[in-house]
Structure formats: structure tokens, C-alpha cells
Amino acid sequence: MLRELQLRHLRAVPFENLSVHLGDEIVLEERRLVEKIVEKRRGGFCYELNGAFGALLRALGFEVTLLAARVYGEEGRLGIPYDHLALLVRTADAGEWLADVGFGAHSHCPLEWGRRGEQRDPGGVFRIVEAGPQPTGDAGGAGSTAGRDLDVVADLDVVADGERVYRLETRPRALRDFTAGAWWHSTSPESHFTKSLICSRLTEDGGRITLSGRRLKATTADGARREDELPGDEEVLEAYRERFGITLERVPEVRPATVRQR
């Protein structure tokens, strides 16, 4: 059941940062997150998507723990504390699983929490491994428990080794703990969410469709890709509506950092 729920969520609810550029307030409260996704038919980024998905799972009887993670960036450096929100889900009959519907291109299905070998998934090959020392020159995360952190390693192209995606802290967190991370990603000129527009979801055939600004990209499960530049606002709004189920009054545009910070 958990596997099916995650797949359906990834296919139906877009990973998107439109609120950042539309000037909408991002409030990390379960009621507000569910309202945005269910009633307003929108998506969101990790704090919103996994926050709402965790609420759904709890309502269905799953035991859910919120986990903080720091995403690996250029040269293997870790991002800010509370950089990412993921879920540890305990089921009555199938153990513990890492569920994540808020990372864009990632595993399609939950990953077995206690398994340290390769886990093959429609999205690639993944491993959950014990984390080593912090990368050189990098400060530890808030509340980090040395020796207990875990790294998620992904190989989206199914070749050897793979790359470290994010580092998980195993200490339970509350949704409000991620407020500073959400604010930083929504306002900082250093955040990739403030630099560009993204709206993306998994397709029924295991591919992905992504609208970034005016560029619409469709990728099939076997890697075939098509890109189109949408000529005008009407076509962009239609793409949001028809491809992602999002109805907007105006086309979002990347906002200057000074405007976001105000």
C-alpha cells in the first residue's frame, strides 16, 4: 500500500517552486499544506510535499517520523541544516521505509530503511549507507548525531558507484523545525529555488515531464527526450493546466532577491 501511495502521489502532485516566484506565503502547518495541495490543486517543494504526505500516511494508520537532511551540492559539499525533509515510515507488516515525494527525480518507490545493499527501483539504483566524516571544511548540521547519519546514494543512469544525494539525520523532527530552511530556500539568492522556475512530475509510463519557465521537457522511461519552447503566456498557462493540473491567473516569473526578501 505504501508503495502504491508514493507512486500515485508522484504522478499526481507536481514538485514545483511557483509560490516562491508568485509571492505566495509558504506556511509549514499540516492543515495549510493539505489545503494547498488538495483544495487548491497545487504542488510544492520538499517541506510541503513530504509534510502533507506524512499527514496523509498518519491518517491512514502509518507511523511517520520527519527527518532532516542536507543535500550534496557541488564538489560534494553539504547544504544548509534542514535543507530537505524526508519521511521514515513504519508499517504494521513490512518494516521501516524511507519515503520521499519531495525531491524531484528520485526513487519512485519507498526504500527499505535497514537494507544497506543496492535497491533497484524504476528510477535507478539506490543505496542507504552509513555516513562517513563531514566533507572537508563543512560544519556539522544542527542536532547532528555523529556516527548515526545516513547517506542516500543514487545512480539514476544505472552505472557503477553512483552519487551521494543527501545526508539524513536519524533524530526525529517536527514540521516547524524546517521553517528556517523553507525561508532560506524561498528568499536566498544562493538557493537554486530562487534562481529558476520548476514544475515537474512523474508520468504514468515512468518518465517525467517538466516545465521550467517556458521550456517544456518530456522524458520517457527509456530516456528519449523532447523539448519545446512555448511561444506565449497562453501556451504556458495551458501547459500548467493540462500537464500538471495547476490553474494560474498569470505566468510566474523569476522574482529579484530584493523583492522576495521584502
Side-chain angles (χ1 to χ4, degrees), residues 150-166:
L150 299 171
D151 278 346
V152 175
V153 182
D155 183 354
L156 304 184
D157 296 320
V158 196
V159 295
D161 298 329
E163 295 184 354
R164 294 178 187 266
V165 180
Y166 54 70

Side-chain angles (χ1 to χ4, degrees), residues 189-240:
E190 297 181 19
S191 167
H192 58 274
F193 288 115
T194 65
K195 296 176 182 178
S196 62
L197 289 155
I198 185 70
C199 186
S200 181
R201 68 170 179 85
L202 193 68
T203 57
E204 291 290 334
D205 64 356
R208 178 164 291 276
I209 186 164
T210 301
L211 179 58
S212 182
R214 296 183 181 275
R215 182 165 293 275
L216 184 66
K217 179 172 70 175
T219 306
T220 63
D222 60 7
R225 178 180 301 180
R226 174 177 175 174
E227 293 191 21
D228 295 294
E229 189 74 19
L230 302 181
D233 287 359
E234 290 186 8
E235 289 79 5
V236 173
L237 293 174
E238 181 182 8
Y240 279 122

Side-chain angles (χ1 to χ4, degrees), residues 5 63 102:
L5 286 169
E63 182 181 344

Side-chain angles (χ1 to χ4, degrees), residues 35-64:
E35 179 185 80
K36 178 181 180 181
I37 292 172
V38 177
E39 298 180 16
K40 296 184 178 180
R41 308 287 294 176
R42 286 283 304 278
F45 53 9
C46 68
Y47 312 107
E48 301 170 288
L49 298 181
N50 281 324
F53 190 52
L56 168 66
L57 294 178
R58 288 193 192 95
L60 293 174
F62 292 93
E63 182 181 344
V64 180

